[in-house]
Amino acid sequence: MLIALFADIHANREALTACLDDAAKEDAESYVFLGDLVGYGPDPVWVVETVAGMVDKGALAVMGNHDEAIFRDDVSLNPIARAAIAWTRLQLKDEHRTFLKDLPLDLHQDDRLYVHASACSPQDWIYTLGPREAFQGFRATAQRVTFCGHTHMPALFNENASQLPQAHRPISGQPMPLLMQRRWIAVLGAVGQPRDRNPAACYGLFDTATSRLTYVRVPYDADLTARKITAQKLPHALAVRLTTGS
Amino acid sequence: MAKAQLNAGMTLDGFVLQERLHRGGMAAIWSVTHPDIDFPIVMKVPFLDYEGDLSLLIGFEVEQMIMAELKGIHVPKLVANGAFTVQPYIVMEYIAGATLQKRMGGEVIPLDELTALAASIADALGDLHQQHVLHLDLKPANILFRPTGEAVIIDFGLSRHEKLPDLLDEQFHKPTGTTEYMAPEQLLMIRSDKRSDIFALGAMLYQLATGELPFGAPSKIKYVRQRVWRDPVPPRKLRPEISPALQEIILKCIDPMPENRFTNAEEMAFELRNLDLVEVTERGERLERSNFKTAFRKRMRVRKTMQAIQASATKPPPRAPIILVAIDLSDDLRQPLQEAAVAALANMPGARLACLNVMQTSLIAIDENVNEDGDNIHVNRMAELRTWAEPLQLPRGKVTFHLIESRNIPAGILEFAHSNKVDHIVVGAHAGSGPGASKNTMQIALEAPCTVTVVRLTEADRLAAAQG
């Protein structure tokens, strides 16, 4: 089965559309959304409705910290993110809020774990940035592969018998075998707000038959999204970073 | 994991074990059969025990991972990988020929055969590198030959795929490899320089040519450092019939400094196939290794040299592309072709120009080597080629001259481009004269393995030529 994985969409309609089209072209059979459907971007309603529609048809989705911030006030966020959340709350209706609130923190499927930030206390939104965080993530789950997001930086870790796990910087488009006898944490890059100096949207394709994961980069009309952000009077920095991937 | 006792007649995932062909230090090779597979196959089964070295286990993981990525004639075709939870194994195509090690065991190989052999190994290595795989443990036991002559590289337990996680780099903090053929930067745990494989290939070529190992067989990995300050005995001292050009190639490969070696295997194969074009320096001519005093001085500086090697190895090697200009000496396109060649060179920094002239041989008549005036045609043609390139004022080493004979001009050009991995072909609009000449150019443009520039006279050029 070919699974398409999307993390950190952040209400970016153009990026999600481009990634969904690409996944359909690759004949993806199943869809997983790894949290942060909203926040930062200008199209929260469209994104929530699109994802909810796909979940109705069998797609899986977990909650991210920005999704949580829609219905909780004590989520720690930086001022720009907070301003965007305040705007987003005004756009969403009860049905959207209910959908976000009902999302689980993590999901198990066969030998895989889907979680937004880390298997290690998912509600604390720990960034899986380096070997130490990855080590804790491995300790917190028995699943073979953890798929997560949250950092907006693509990375791949494998568990190591004798020392801390090492980060591998994935090369986009290169299918990588996640060897069956090892355990892995795959941090997907962001669909809607990449921060690795590559403005192209990032999503993952995982083939369960061969245990191969590909990080896919999809260029999209980031200028259009940036213009929408400006038009909605969302913080200007959010528009700028989309076009630079920073 | 069950420690399976393997016996002939056993079946593993549908593969029937027939006969144990080889038992090495790390794995056994079994010939196996499978009802769905109609070519000869073998199964490699590692000796894994958890008290033993962890590197065996990881090496086998690496080999399974890398073989699944490799394609082509220079590696055995992968059939199946066995799961680690049951019994790890690799089933692959059986290569009928002997290993290079066995071939070395017999009598001394004649030099022309030896250079051809080395060039085919360099081809295989180039193919591996093109597929982003660094072998990092090349040795005679890991090289086989197909009955058709192509070299096949095996044993990827220490290898590295440039685009995949390097499981070995993560795991180990001491250098691994075969001391006889190991490059000095591998002592520093550098696993990302393709020129480490060039070094190993050079050490093998030295051994093929002289029967001796260039740096002996150090019993411990730390003694590998000696090759940084102690130069090997020049091959020509051990076997005087070795040409300075061949010695130049061998010693260039095993230079301690990565930046002094060939930048890629294609370049090495090219020089091995064109020994007359090798630029021979003192290195190729020398008959004695450096004296004791020099070696001692180098030994004192070894720390500094290792630092320089580290710096050199971590810089990406420059690309050395080849631009082929197909020259028709009778052509009125001389100047436009020269200009196009210069432009192509300017576009590819570090490129070299290969000036090629194809002499068309006739189908029926026996060609004369000597013309009516008694001059050797080949010598004359070569001189004309050099004259052609003279106005370009290219430094030696940046331009080479090639004369080949072929019944069919485009076929000759294309074959040269394929076998030398040419990056760009510059050709006149009428390759060869006479009827069908422009069809020749079309065939080159269609079938070339690279970019082709077709040079044509404009109407204005033609008028100017007619008036001038």
Side-chain angles (χ1 to χ4, degrees):
Chain A
M1 184 173 59
L2 189 62
I3 306 175
L5 303 127
F6 308 88
D8 300 282
I9 298 161
H10 286 297
N12 187 331
R13 177 179 182 161
E14 290 69 33
L16 180 59
T17 306
C19 288
L20 286 173
D21 287 352
D22 192 79
K25 219 170 56 201
E26 298 292 329
D27 296 325
E29 294 150 280
S30 146
Y31 294 81
V32 178
F33 298 93
L34 294 164
D36 277 3
L37 306 181
V38 298
Y40 298 138
D43 281 308
V45 171
W46 185 87
V47 167
V48 171
E49 285 178 356
T50 302
V51 172
M54 293 181 75
V55 168
D56 277 346
K57 290 190 205 131
L60 301 177
V62 295
M63 189 192 295
N65 51 320
H66 287 252
D67 307 323
E68 189 186 36
I70 295 300
F71 57 87
R72 275 181 67 164
D73 291 326
D74 56 346
V75 180
S76 109
L77 287 173
N78 66 52
I80 289 182
R82 192 159 289 287
I85 288 294
W87 176 85
T88 305
R89 282 179 174 183
L90 298 176
Q91 315 302 313
L92 297 179
K93 298 200 181 75
D94 276 347
E95 56 192 277
H96 305 129
R97 256 189 297 279
T98 310
F99 175 78
L100 293 176
K101 202 169 176 176
D102 287 348
L103 288 173
L105 279 173
D106 57 10
L107 280 172
H108 289 65
Q109 186 186 39
D110 300 333
D111 59 352
R112 302 177 292 278
L113 170 70
Y114 306 124
V115 64
H116 178 61
S118 169
C120 179
S121 55
Q123 71 282 2
D124 291 336
W125 315 115
I126 297 165
Y127 288 94
T128 309
L129 281 170
R132 278 176 199 288
E133 297 88 355
F135 179 75
Q136 290 180 338
F138 279 121
R139 256 204 335 205
T141 179
Q143 295 295 80
R144 190 175 74 81
V145 188
T146 302
F147 290 102
C148 60
H150 191 44
T151 66
H152 297 215
M153 305 277 271
L156 182 66
F157 298 88
N158 74 69
E159 196 179 28
N160 210 310
S162 58
Q163 59 176 90
L164 284 174
Q166 294 285 312
H168 174 71
R169 191 78 191 272
I171 290 173
S172 46
Q174 169 75 32
M176 283 179 298
L178 306 187
L179 305 180
M180 291 301 289
Q181 63 274 19
R182 289 185 170 230
R183 299 207 306 144
W184 302 82
I185 295 176
V187 186
L188 277 304
V191 171
Q193 195 198 70
R195 293 182 195 161
D196 58 345
R197 292 171 188 283
N198 178 357
C202 183
Y203 81 100
L205 281 172
F206 182 67
D207 185 352
T208 54
T210 58
S211 189
R212 276 166 183 260
L213 172 66
T214 311
Y215 288 74
V216 185
R217 295 314 281 255
V218 188
Y220 71 98
D221 191 351
D223 288 328
L224 174 58
T225 316
R227 280 201 301 277
K228 286 188 188 175
I229 287 177
T230 313
Q232 297 292 350
K233 303 209 165 33
L234 282 158
H236 182 59
L238 293 174
V240 174
R241 74 186 315 177
L242 283 189
T243 53
T244 56
S246 61
Chain B
M1 182 191 313
K3 245 189 232 174
Q5 185 67 48
L6 301 180
N7 292 306
M10 258 178 79
T11 304
L12 207 58
D13 297 344
F15 295 100
V16 185
L17 273 64
Q18 301 293 340
E19 183 195 351
R20 194 171 68 199
L21 301 177
H22 174 79
R23 196 190 148 89
M26 298 187 218
I29 307 285
W30 285 79
S31 76
V32 294
T33 52
H34 190 283
D36 299 341
I37 290 164
D38 59 356
F39 54 90
I41 49 178
V42 293
M43 179 184 282
K44 181 173 179 175
V45 187
F47 305 135
L48 297 175
D49 65 83
Y50 281 113
E51 298 85 60
D53 194 349
L54 190 63
S55 66
L56 288 189
L57 177 87
I58 297 178
F60 206 73
E61 278 189 286
V62 170
E63 179 155 31
Q64 282 193 335
M65 181 174 89
I66 287 186
M67 280 200 69
E69 301 295 319
L70 287 168
K71 294 188 208 48
I73 197 162
H74 297 297
V75 284
K77 185 177 156 62
L78 177 74
V79 175
N81 276 334
F84 265 65
T85 43
V86 189
Q87 168 67 56
Y89 60 77
I90 297 173
V91 176
M92 61 186 124
E93 170 192 12
Y94 170 68
I95 308 292
T99 66
L100 183 61
Q101 191 173 32
K102 292 225 175 83
R103 249 169 118 156
M104 277 176 171
E107 60 255 47
V108 181
I109 304 172
L111 283 176
D112 49 350
E113 197 180 313
L114 181 152
T115 46
L117 211 60
S120 59
I121 303 171
D123 285 343
L125 183 59
D127 185 38
L128 212 60
H129 287 175
Q130 288 280 341
Q131 298 185 61
H132 304 285
V133 172
L134 286 67
H135 190 280
L136 301 174
D137 191 25
L138 283 178
K139 53 185 169 187
N142 290 344
I143 291 167
L144 296 160
F145 292 92
R146 288 187 188 271
T148 40
E150 295 90 355
V152 176
I153 298 177
I154 57 167
D155 213 339
F156 297 94
L158 287 180
S159 300
R160 161 92 200 265
H161 191 292
E162 291 178 308
K163 297 187 171 187
L164 298 180
D166 186 6
L167 307 175
L168 282 162
D169 187 39
E170 292 169 6
Q171 203 77 34
F172 297 109
H173 296 285
K174 57 178 202 281
T176 34
T178 306
T179 55
E180 290 92 318
Y181 307 99
M182 203 169 149
E185 65 271 17
Q186 288 177 276
L187 273 186
L188 300 167
M189 307 280 305
I190 291 171
R191 292 176 46 76
S192 54
D193 198 320
K194 290 176 178 156
R195 293 167 295 188
S196 305
D197 284 338
I198 302 276
F199 186 98
L201 188 45
M204 277 190 273
L205 182 50
Y206 185 106
Q207 186 184 10
L208 265 175
T210 66
E212 313 244 345
L213 285 160
F215 309 104
S219 57
K220 288 202 177 123
I221 214 139
K222 61 179 180 185
Y223 301 142
V224 167
R225 221 156 101 123
Q226 184 173 336
R227 66 196 56 169
V228 172
W229 52 268
R230 195 66 180 115
D231 56 327
V233 177
R236 274 153 48 73
K237 187 182 168 117
L238 299 169
R239 189 172 173 188
E241 50 172 322
I242 291 173
S243 65
L246 183 56
Q247 173 163 313
E248 181 79 32
I249 292 174
I250 296 173
L251 295 182
K252 184 171 178 177
C253 290
I254 56 177
D255 194 294
M257 200 66 79
E259 68 191 29
N260 294 343
R261 298 176 209 149
F262 291 101
T263 48
N264 55 50
E266 285 85 11
E267 197 184 337
M268 179 178 174
F270 183 91
E271 296 222 336
L272 282 164
R273 293 205 170 93
N274 299 284
L275 283 177
D276 50 331
L277 303 173
V278 175
E279 193 183 350
V280 178
T281 66
E282 180 276 332
R283 178 161 62 184
E285 304 278 3
R286 83 172 70 130
L287 289 169
E288 294 295 334
R289 66 207 297 208
S290 57
N291 62 27
F292 177 74
K293 224 170 104 183
T294 313
F296 184 76
R297 266 209 315 273
K298 281 191 184 167
R299 188 177 184 170
M300 293 294 104
R301 280 204 310 262
V302 72
R303 245 167 198 286
K304 269 220 146 83
T305 315
M306 286 306 276
Q307 282 166 7
I309 287 171
Q310 174 134 37
S312 166
T314 41
K315 270 184 297 208
R319 243 173 68 73
I322 299 173
I323 296 165
L324 166 67
V325 53
I327 298 167
D328 183 349
L329 293 163
S330 62
D331 208 355
D332 52 357
L333 278 173
R334 174 178 295 249
Q335 204 187 333
L337 211 53
Q338 285 167 338
E339 283 162 4
V342 170
L345 277 170
N347 269 333
M348 277 195 196
R352 76 165 136 188
L353 193 68
C355 303
L356 176 72
N357 180 238
V358 183
M359 296 176 68
Q360 195 165 19
T361 50
S362 63
L363 198 53
I364 315 154
I366 298 164
D367 290 302
E368 296 286 340
N369 251 346
V370 179
N371 68 10
E372 290 137 18
D373 299 331
D375 295 329
N376 184 307
I377 296 170
H378 290 115
V379 174
N380 282 355
R381 279 280 176 102
M382 209 60 170
E384 282 179 71
L385 269 182
R386 286 178 194 281
T387 315
W388 185 93
E390 195 64 43
L392 308 186
Q393 300 200 323
L394 295 168
R396 234 193 109 121
K398 282 279 174 207
V399 56
T400 52
F401 303 95
H402 312 267
L403 205 54
I404 55 174
E405 286 184 334
S406 177
R407 283 218 318 259
N408 178 324
I409 289 179
I413 292 172
L414 286 166
E415 200 195 311
F416 185 94
H418 272 287
S419 60
N420 292 300
K421 308 271 190 311
V422 164
D423 297 274
H424 188 162
I425 298 175
V426 180
V427 63
H430 302 275
S433 39
S438 46
K439 222 169 83 193
N440 287 349
T441 308
M442 209 148 82
Q443 189 188 343
I444 293 167
L446 278 174
E447 294 172 22
C450 59
T451 304
V452 178
T453 301
V454 177
V455 179
R456 175 174 287 126
L457 279 184
T458 61
E459 204 48 46
D461 287 336
R462 231 185 288 280
L463 283 173
Q467 286 164 5

